[in-house]
Amino acid sequence: MDSEEAAMLRAMGLKSIDALFADIPEAVRIKGLDLPRGMGEQDVVRHVTSILRKNRSAETMPTFLGAGLYDHFVPASVRAIASRSEFYSAYTPYQPEVSQGILQTLWEYQSFICELTGMDAANTSMYDGSTALGEAALMAHRITGKREIVVPRAMHWDRRAVLSSNAVGPGLKVIDVGYDADNGTMDLDSLRKAVGEQTAAVYVENPNFFGRFEDELPEIRSIAPSLLIVGANPLALAIAKAPGDFGADIVIGEGQPLGNAVNFGGPLVGIFACREEHVRKMPGRVIGLTQDAEGRRAFCMTLQTREQHIRRERAMSNICTNETLMAVISAAYIAVLGSRGLRKVALDNIRRARLLAERIDRLESFEAPVFQGGHFNEFVLRSEIPYARVHKALLAAGVHGGLPLTGHFPDLKEAALFATTEVHTEADYDRLVQALEEIR
Amino acid sequence: MTFRQARYDEPLLCERMRPSPAEETDLFGVPSSLRRESLSLPDLPEHEVVRHYTRLSQMNFGIDTGFYPLGSCTMKFNPKFAEELARLPEMARVHPEQDPSTVQGILQILFELQGILAKISGMDAVTLQPAAGAQGEFTGLLLARAYLDDRGDGGRNEIILPDTAHGTNFASAGMLGFHVREIPSKDGRVDLKALGTAVSERTLSLMLTNPNTLGIFEEDVAEVARIVHDAGALLYYDGANFNAILGRTSPGTMGFDITHFNTHKTFTTPHGGGGPGAGPVGVKAFLEPFLPVPVVTFDGRTYGLDWDRPKSIGKVRAWLGNSALLLRAYAYILSQGSDGLRWVTDRAVLNANYLRHRIEKHLPVPFSGLRKHEFVASGEPLKANGARTVDLAKRLIDYGFHPPTVYFPHLVEEALMIEPTETESKETLDKFADALIEITREDPKLLRSAPHNAAVARVDEVLAARRPILSWRMLQKGKGSEKSA
């Protein structure tokens, strides 16, 4: 105990720190923690760094994984902005007067997301794309009172599983709709059969899980007798029509591609936006524009009567801590790149995926893309060689191939989902293609 | 008074948009039905963007700016070395779908962290998947339900909550379609009689924070556990107040079956202005088969992921969790160690009790006895002068302090929930106490018109909710209405 602590105890008339714990009954006390003693900063950094070095990162191993998370180039300014500790060391902006910085930043984030999605309102984030979908399904149930959610079979299995967990409360039924074997897009005949009186919402992704643009979104809108939820890659929205223009009611997505690191899958950032008429049924924190007592523009959290601390068990959601800092990063990324920069990156990604697929398709044992039609930055590859062997051979060649699909999509046979972005160099592509070529 | 927050009339980036010359963008790669011809987002020089956010950041108060005694939020210093570690490419540029052989480092850290958290909480197994405390609650309740269903004891659908419980407990129960039974407190603690009457064969779980939101330790916790377990229900520990018990007691020792952690509170991963967090969940062995998939495993040589768990509740979010936050928590725990973590609690509790001692003559602190890491004072005496707790909170800003949590918990009138944390010195606590006392003596007009030294004056939150303007798009739609809104 130091002298400061002694002085504080003395002021309270206490003899020891232990006296402050006299209210913990003997029977539930523990003697201490069975952990090693503390380490100095230098040792901790050395130790943790040495463990992390066992990872292979995209820095040293060209990686062609996507499936919702994409390693993009992020300008240093974005990280510099997110490193302002006035932002990152703050709690939720409960006191708007001292939090105008993050409040305005988040209001601008909401504005950017609305422009990209064609929606009127967005919240400041959900945990990730998967929980954004789960919450969208719950919201569709709140709006319509109906209990069926129709979703594409072509979806990441994690996202599908999270949707099922969210469906537990109101007992929602999730109905899967297959994809067209040639195009990889939603099978419209199956969709027509899947929807009905009880449909609360149809969910569709653009680009979809296989990287395909859903060309027939207008047709899907007309088939859906209910709300339409669109899951989007926000970067693709820089060059693809806003879902709002197709009559989407709710737009969700994984916001990571907007300047965030893949972070081994977290933290990520769930995009959530909707039409103005549904705003009061929306989950999550929302920032509004208002005035201060002197009539100047100001921002604050608003519509809090939807939230847990007021509505309690009838709240729209239990979410409070969300992924605010990732939303700040997304806003900064959009601002640094600007509309022109975003469109350039998006188009460059399309071009790269097309060129890469063409190169792979020329190889004897591989077909790419498996599906016809426009792709964003990923595509399905099919192999004549068992894909597990391809996967291992690529790793041995210092390249990480795409996401094996065989287990989850057996109908695609020996297939994998390959993604590419502007981080890849020509040398990376050469290495991948050469490694594929050498597999026997 | 030494505090003056920066004050810029910083325009919106959207207000700085200029009609740009028609682009010659070749949208050839996009299907014709989906082509987007224009995108209305600003195009500013990079340095102007950096200035925009730098100025905005200067109008934001973080823990690095000053004392931040926000009750139940555990705003302690965020060590900078953890930030640097999380930025290493071996963390930031690692994809969760990578082959396990290429991610042995992060899997090792996650595996070890599971073990460390189990030890700290007195639990047997831990999942790191939940993204925040509230999602931890959601996960915990799903686990309890799955276990009871599996035992043939399904159909239990009531969650019992004391009136001191966090709002998230109610919302998590509601999200899963459970009914909430709220029980009143007695002397700021769980009323055992009320609990005894409330439990039944319908009870799924009692969710409890200990110490509770008043900062009071529930001394009857063992009896609470007996009552809940005798009714066949499970006991859930809301880990928001974990900073009060490290190395002194643990949820497992107290008889809880499930607990969550808030890494952004107890293990000081920065809260990011509202998130991210991480909400690992610890359970007793009988609940282990139900944990979300995949579970991180270690066979003595290699770390892996186990998906083959037939009783699992499935998933609550994509992939493994907020790994970059879990990494920071791991590094922080290593830096503290067994001795440091116990000191954390000792000092946090000392600071809270000392601060309470300094101010309770001026602002009453209802309920007698010790406090743990936080306490709740009442701004009731201010009313005589025509001021309220909210005014005192706003006035604290002028003195350079972030206000405490206000108007929670509800059973204290005009509540001020104060949690100083262990990283604050006696000097800071004394200055804060002096400021609080000074404010109670000030002209109430000064309080009601506060803050005077922040970027803006008192913000009209009622107006914001009455006519929501949530985006540039909505502002444009009602153009001209901003002032008169």
Side-chain angles (χ1 to χ4, degrees), chain B residues 166-350:
Chain B
H166 289 116
T168 45
N169 296 173
F170 294 84
S172 298
M175 228 178 147
L176 283 163
F178 297 136
H179 300 293
V180 172
R181 254 187 106 141
E182 187 173 335
I183 53 169
S185 311
K186 200 175 154 197
D187 303 327
R189 295 165 180 83
V190 172
D191 180 350
L192 293 178
K193 245 198 204 143
L195 175 62
T197 317
V199 293
S200 73
E201 71 290 343
R202 291 186 304 279
T203 311
L204 181 81
S205 179
L206 166 71
M207 299 174 83
L208 187 65
T209 318
N210 196 18
N212 63 30
T213 55
L214 295 164
I216 296 174
F217 194 83
E218 300 275 2
E219 296 180 38
D220 294 327
V221 64
E223 183 59 12
V224 168
R226 193 193 59 75
I227 295 170
V228 170
H229 289 146
D230 283 355
L234 300 185
L235 191 57
Y236 184 96
Y237 185 80
D238 173 342
N241 295 344
F242 228 112
N243 220 42
I245 61 163
L246 295 165
R248 288 281 178 176
T249 179
S250 76
T253 315
M254 289 187 267
F256 289 85
D257 306 297
I258 310 168
T259 179
H260 79 253
F261 296 85
N262 300 82
T263 65
H264 47 291
K265 297 179 182 177
T266 317
F267 305 123
T268 195
T269 63
H271 196 251
V281 168
V283 295
K284 291 277 172 72
F286 65 91
L287 290 163
E288 194 266 350
F290 304 93
L291 289 180
V293 282
V295 168
V296 184
T297 58
F298 182 52
D299 64 7
R301 283 183 52 213
T302 312
Y303 297 90
L305 296 174
D306 181 11
W307 284 87
D308 184 20
R309 301 176 59 84
K311 289 189 174 178
S312 167
I313 57 165
K315 290 195 71 72
V316 295
R317 56 156 293 160
W319 296 293
L320 291 179
N322 278 350
S323 303
L325 279 300
L326 297 165
L327 169 81
R328 289 174 174 92
Y330 173 80
Y332 171 74
I333 291 170
L334 289 190
S335 75
Q336 293 296 329
S338 55
D339 50 331
L341 289 175
R342 187 164 157 125
W343 174 84
V344 161
T345 284
D346 286 1
R347 183 65 197 245
V349 170
L350 175 63

Side-chain angles (χ1 to χ4, degrees), chain B residues 88 114 127 180 183 193 316 362 388 392 419 445 467:
Chain B
L88 292 174
Q114 287 174 183
T127 174
V180 172
I183 53 169
K193 245 198 204 143
V316 295
H362 309 271
R388 299 186 58 203
L392 175 143
E419 179 180 9
K445 273 193 222 125
R467 189 158 170 188

Side-chain angles (χ1 to χ4, degrees), chain B residues 428-444:
Chain B
T428 299
L429 302 179
D430 281 331
K431 279 187 181 156
F432 179 74
D434 292 343
L436 268 180
I437 295 163
E438 174 73 23
I439 291 169
T440 60
R441 293 169 182 154
E442 281 183 330
D443 182 345

